[in-house]
Amino acid sequence: MDRRTAVEDASPLAELWTAAPAPAPKPHYHGHRERLRERALAGGLAALPDYEVLELFLFRSIPKRDVKPLAKQLLARFGSLAAVLGATAEELKTVKGVGDGVALDLKLLHEAALRAGRDQIGRRPVISSWSALLAYVKTALAHETREQFRVLFLDKKNQLIADEVMNRGTVDHAPVYPREVVRRALELSASALILVHNHPSGDPTPSSADVDMTRQVIDAARPLRVSVHDHLVVGRHGVASFRALGLM
């Protein structure tokens, strides 16, 4: 037999004996989503740390990628879960991996939390649901990067008629026009007001300008028999009440 022919004839058989390539190694996060979901179902969401709660939410925004690093980056960038949700869409997108879709989903979660809080204070007199009110204003304002002045308009039973942003300002000032506040109260047939604004610095201690502005609103509202129940100053470190501090 020709030696060359024998070698050529054997070559297809040699291919059969060649070992199959090893399967690609599974990514380190393989099965992580399922395990995290199982833990959440078994122990309850309240038992999970913030980064895992954020992870679970991001599963829906980013279906085919390990999102644990992104969850941790968001918390590192903003400091807390509440601050992540309170950040603007543009601020969120400064974190690598956050696009328009993820930013919108996170803002949607924040809006849902706000509406749930507003529902809690809208069902009964605000004065009797003070803890719910404080939780609501903290969710709304504690992590705002610019000062915002809001007014809660109440009816004769101290139930919420409306929560309106009257003005937005800079990092340390939001202009307030007492006559505009009172005019809006009359339009809504409100009997009482709770003034609310935030200090982006994080310190809720009222300033002398805050005290002066509050007195101006009280003076403008008094002749029209509209009461100002309180002025709340919201910061990352808490909420200051003018009434509790004896400032009104």
Side-chain angles (χ1 to χ4, degrees):
M1 179 183 290
D2 181 67
R3 175 181 175 82
R4 181 180 57 80
T5 303
V7 171
E8 288 176 355
D9 290 343
S11 60
L13 295 176
E15 290 176 2
L16 295 176
W17 297 333
T18 303
K26 294 179 180 178
H28 67 88
Y29 53 86
H30 179 74
H32 172 67
R33 291 187 177 214
E34 289 71 22
R35 291 191 296 271
L36 183 52
R37 288 190 183 106
E38 288 171 1
R39 283 177 47 220
L41 289 170
L45 291 170
L48 299 179
D50 284 355
Y51 80 89
E52 289 187 333
V53 171
L54 192 51
E55 256 193 284
L56 278 169
F57 185 77
L58 290 172
F59 286 172
R60 289 149 180 78
S61 305
I62 306 174
K64 295 183 179 179
R65 200 178 80 210
D66 181 17
V67 294
K68 181 190 288 186
L70 179 57
K72 291 187 173 181
Q73 287 167 27
L74 283 165
L75 290 170
R77 164 69 174 81
F78 296 104
S80 69
L81 182 56
V84 171
L85 300 183
T88 66
E90 292 307 313
E91 290 169 337
L92 290 167
K93 287 189 288 185
T94 62
V95 177
K96 186 177 180 180
V98 177
D100 289 337
V102 173
L104 177 60
D105 287 350
L106 289 169
K107 294 313 300 174
L108 177 63
L109 185 58
H110 185 237
E111 180 63 23
L114 282 176
R115 294 190 184 200
R118 191 180 303 130
D119 186 56
Q120 287 295 313
I121 64 172
R123 290 182 177 181
R124 57 185 188 268
V126 169
I127 304 302
S128 65
S129 55
W130 201 249
S131 60
L133 173 62
L134 296 183
Y136 169 67
V137 298
K138 285 172 67 177
T139 300
L141 289 172
H143 299 285
E144 280 285 331
T145 56
R146 293 186 177 276
E147 195 163 303
Q148 187 181 117
F149 180 75
R150 304 170 80 119
V151 179
L152 306 184
F153 296 94
L154 312 178
D155 64 16
K156 291 180 180 179
K157 295 182 179 180
N158 287 320
Q159 292 181 329
L160 184 67
I161 298 173
D163 166 21
E164 296 189 358
V165 178
M166 300 299 292
N167 220 327
R168 289 183 172 89
T170 64
V171 294
D172 60 1
H173 177 65
V176 180
Y177 305 102
R179 289 184 181 180
E180 287 299 306
V181 173
V182 175
R183 180 188 63 79
R184 186 58 178 149
L186 293 176
E187 289 176 350
L188 294 170
S189 299
S191 296
L193 313 172
I194 295 178
L195 312 178
V196 186
H197 84 280
N198 63 306
H199 282 177
S201 66
D203 181 3
T205 304
S207 67
S208 58
D210 294 337
V211 174
D212 290 341
M213 179 268 290
T214 305
R215 288 174 180 161
Q216 290 174 27
V217 175
I218 292 172
D219 290 343
R222 185 181 295 114
L224 301 173
R225 297 185 179 180
V226 176
S227 301
V228 179
H229 286 333
D230 207 340
H231 185 168
L232 303 177
V233 185
V234 184
R236 289 188 301 276
H237 308 310
V239 180
S241 160
F242 271 51
R243 188 164 295 282
L245 293 170
L247 296 174
M248 56 181 297

